[in-house]
Amino acid sequence: MERRDFGRLGQISALTLGGGGLGGVWGSTDRDEAVATVHAAVDAGITMLDVAPSYGDDFEAERVVGAALRARPAPDVLVTTKVQVHDVPPGGDFDGLIRRSLSGSLSRLGRSHVDLLLLHTQLLPLDGSATAAGTIHFSSYQDAVVPAFERLRAEGLIRGWGITAVGHPASTVEALTSSPRPDAAQVIVNALDLNGDMWIYPDVTPDGPALVAAAGSQGVPVLGIRVVAAGSLAGSLDRAVPADHPAAVDFARAAGFRKLAAEWGEPAAVLAHRYALSVPGVSSVVLGVKNRAELAECVAAEARGRLTPSEVSTIRALTEAR
């Protein structure tokens, strides 16, 4: 599998195994199959596992990865986890919250450190307008969260830190360009720039390519997330959702993408992964798979290679047409 530069942490595989599927977020699975999927990913050359305390009931994704790595240690595989810290509604001791969350994650993972700790909370507009539950003001991020992360890195409990870059665009760009800068950013990267239920700013248009460019201009490595738009860019949704659910709405909007995939002789999900892998500036694509069969499809997509610039442009034109 292709290896790509990942800044402070060296090189990582072009594919990263995400924890959403392992935790049952994207449809049902069981512990044995999830653990087997981790082992299959490592065997396929994947060198990063990306989990979070919120992925699954009772921290299931972290427990899966912990069980998998205890059964088959893989010291060269990097592990990423996340922390949610907010001040809407008002938060408290940010440093304490972050440390307690990380301590729990390390215990479940069976590790003395994680390679990357990501802020899993959306940044509010720089002026503090437009608040929503579970968000954080940029000033709190800059003045409290970043220093806490820097201390954890100095103590050796994390090797690097980053952000899930799906908050307000102006604040996210400010976070990517302010010093100290994150060691990585997770950015929504998919063929139609679909943000689904992660987008909370109806008066602002999401622009994933602009965020990838902003990160690249500052040397911040990008992990592409939501590459199949929560299943909306696949051939079918693999879970039942109401007709007005963002995934169902996006699935309908993606009809042209599925038509193009069929014309090119590719399964829609394969083309979606190949597109994300072809976006300049993306270090690795995070997979949302929940079993070995889905993993094998993604590994095969990576092996097919990058799309040509012309093919990427054809797909990008669908965004403007939708």
Side-chain angles (χ1 to χ4, degrees), residues 108-130:
R108 291 183 288 272
L109 293 166
R111 293 171 63 92
S112 61
H113 72 278
V114 293
D115 298 285
L116 190 67
L117 181 64
L118 292 152
L119 175 66
H120 206 199
T121 307
Q122 293 204 26
L123 295 169
L124 290 167
L126 291 169
D127 62 5
S129 64

Side-chain angles (χ1 to χ4, degrees), residues 188 190 193-200 226 229-230 246-247 250 253:
I188 292 176
N190 62 56
D193 211 11
L194 300 172
N195 284 241
D197 57 359
M198 295 187 78
W199 192 251
I200 62 174
R226 295 286 181 113
D250 284 347
R253 298 167 78 182

Side-chain angles (χ1 to χ4, degrees), residues 234-255:
S236 61
L237 283 173
D238 60 359
R239 62 199 186 283
V241 295
D244 60 351
H245 187 281
V249 172
D250 284 347
F251 183 81
R253 298 167 78 182

Side-chain angles (χ1 to χ4, degrees), residues 11-32:
Q11 287 196 326
I12 60 171
S13 53
L15 298 179
T16 289
L17 181 62
L22 302 177
V25 175
W26 307 123
S28 62
T29 187
D30 60 50
R31 175 70 65 84
D32 289 345

Side-chain angles (χ1 to χ4, degrees), residues 6 8-13 16-17 42 46-51 65 69 74-81 111 113-116 159:
F6 198 62
R8 179 189 294 272
L9 300 184
Q11 287 196 326
I12 60 171
S13 53
T16 289
L17 181 62
V42 175
I46 288 176
T47 65
M48 178 174 273
L49 310 175
D50 175 59
V51 295
V65 167
L69 296 183
D76 294 332
V77 169
L78 308 184
V79 177
T80 293
T81 194
R111 293 171 63 92
H113 72 278
V114 293
D115 298 285
L116 190 67
R159 293 179 59 212

